[in-house]
Amino acid sequence: MRQIVAEVGVVSRADGSAVFEMGNTKVIAAVYGPREIQNKSQQKNGHALVLCEYSMAHFSTGDRRRQKNDRRSTELSLVIRQTMEACILTELLPHSQIDIFLQVLQADGGTRSACINAATLALADAGIPMRDLAVSCSAGYLNSTPLLDLNYVEDSAGGADVTVGILPKLDKVTLLQMDAKLPMETFETVFALASEGCKAIAERVREVLQENNKQLEYRRAA
């Protein structure tokens, strides 16, 4: 797995925020809410409304041409929103709205997983109640070899790619996406590898949150 670097509280005007890096992939997440629902027609009975917006900075890739990724951004926004809805205790926040904004600052493979991990940190930073940490990691199968956390070159080499999202303590899968068919035996190997990657990321996310809590306690004591 590539090196993970993460930090919370990076956007002062947001209720919660985080930067999450996996290798050369870097994303930023900002959470606003819970707050009053702006569009009453979207209100859910007895549950908070979760909205998510994913985008890529035009400088995030080596291609300097203007990025035309509206359809992909819409699809990823939906995928990430559904993943976060599975971990947020929306029933505790009725008649409210939670907005999650995600932007890819550097793209080198695994942006979907990095966004989910960043969103989880930002939600925790905002104090949003969650049933578990939502974490994600990808794995692939290239040249008959399972690979964890693919970068852009590996992901573009033509092998299969499996993205997994889990709630680690509850042992629940919240996301499973494949971009190519795999024999069942190979799929099970790649899926298990991605799941182990998720668990390692969950440990890192917990460490970041614990370190942040220690810093907050130190500031209060000072």
Side-chain angles (χ1 to χ4, degrees), residues 133-222:
L133 299 173
V135 290
S136 178
C137 190
S138 65
Y141 196 71
L142 186 63
N143 297 327
S144 302
T145 304
L147 296 174
L148 180 64
D149 185 24
L150 281 67
N151 62 27
Y152 178 77
V153 172
E154 294 165 337
D155 191 28
S156 303
D161 177 48
V162 178
T163 301
V164 176
I166 67 169
L167 302 178
K169 286 188 176 180
L170 298 178
D171 196 25
K172 180 180 178 181
V173 176
T174 57
L175 172 66
L176 178 58
Q177 291 189 318
M178 296 175 58
D179 64 358
K181 292 182 179 180
L182 281 172
M184 182 56 68
E185 183 177 340
T186 304
F187 166 75
E188 289 176 351
T189 300
V190 174
F191 175 79
L193 183 61
S195 297
E196 288 302 310
C198 287
K199 292 173 183 176
I201 289 171
E203 286 300 314
R204 182 70 186 111
V205 167
R206 290 191 192 99
E207 289 172 3
V208 171
L209 293 175
Q210 288 169 359
E211 181 60 32
N212 184 61
N213 287 337
K214 288 179 182 177
Q215 291 179 7
L216 291 175
E217 289 173 2
Y218 176 78
R219 288 171 193 165
R220 290 195 191 105

Side-chain angles (χ1 to χ4, degrees), residues 80 82-88 113 115-121 123 130-136 164-168 172 174 198 201-202 205:
I80 297 166
Q82 292 173 338
T83 302
M84 305 324 295
E85 282 179 330
C87 80
I88 298 172
S113 293
C115 282
I116 289 170
N117 300 328
T120 294
L121 281 167
L123 287 167
M130 295 184 283
R131 51 179 50 88
D132 198 357
L133 299 173
V135 290
S136 178
V164 176
I166 67 169
L167 302 178
K172 180 180 178 181
T174 57
C198 287
I201 289 171
V205 167

Side-chain angles (χ1 to χ4, degrees), residues 10 14 28 58-59 100 118 214:
V10 295
I28 187 168
H58 295 307
F59 53 78
I100 305 171
K214 288 179 182 177

Side-chain angles (χ1 to χ4, degrees), residues 32-158:
Y32 297 86
R35 56 186 177 182
E36 185 179 355
I37 292 180
Q38 296 174 335
N39 186 347
K40 297 296 183 182
S41 66
Q42 294 180 300
Q43 184 168 309
K44 293 187 175 182
N45 290 333
H47 290 266
L49 172 67
V50 179
L51 298 176
C52 180
E53 183 178 308
Y54 165 98
S55 64
M56 290 184 68
H58 295 307
F59 53 78
S60 62
T61 67
D63 186 355
R64 288 185 170 84
R65 292 173 296 177
R66 187 172 180 83
Q67 301 292 319
K68 294 184 179 180
N69 57 356
D70 289 348
R71 182 177 176 182
R72 183 173 185 271
S73 294
T74 300
E75 291 174 352
L76 286 179
S77 295
L78 176 61
V79 167
I80 297 166
R81 189 193 84 192
Q82 292 173 338
T83 302
M84 305 324 295
E85 282 179 330
C87 80
I88 298 172
L89 292 165
T90 55
E91 65 273 18
L92 298 183
L93 302 166
H95 314 299
S96 65
Q97 172 177 326
I98 300 168
D99 295 289
I100 305 171
F101 295 93
L102 299 152
Q103 185 167 51
V104 178
L105 303 178
Q106 293 177 190
D108 187 30
T111 55
R112 186 174 329 184
S113 293
C115 282
I116 289 170
N117 300 328
T120 294
L121 281 167
L123 287 167
D125 186 43
I128 304 296
M130 295 184 283
R131 51 179 50 88
D132 198 357
L133 299 173
V135 290
S136 178
C137 190
S138 65
Y141 196 71
L142 186 63
N143 297 327
S144 302
T145 304
L147 296 174
L148 180 64
D149 185 24
L150 281 67
N151 62 27
Y152 178 77
V153 172
E154 294 165 337
D155 191 28
S156 303

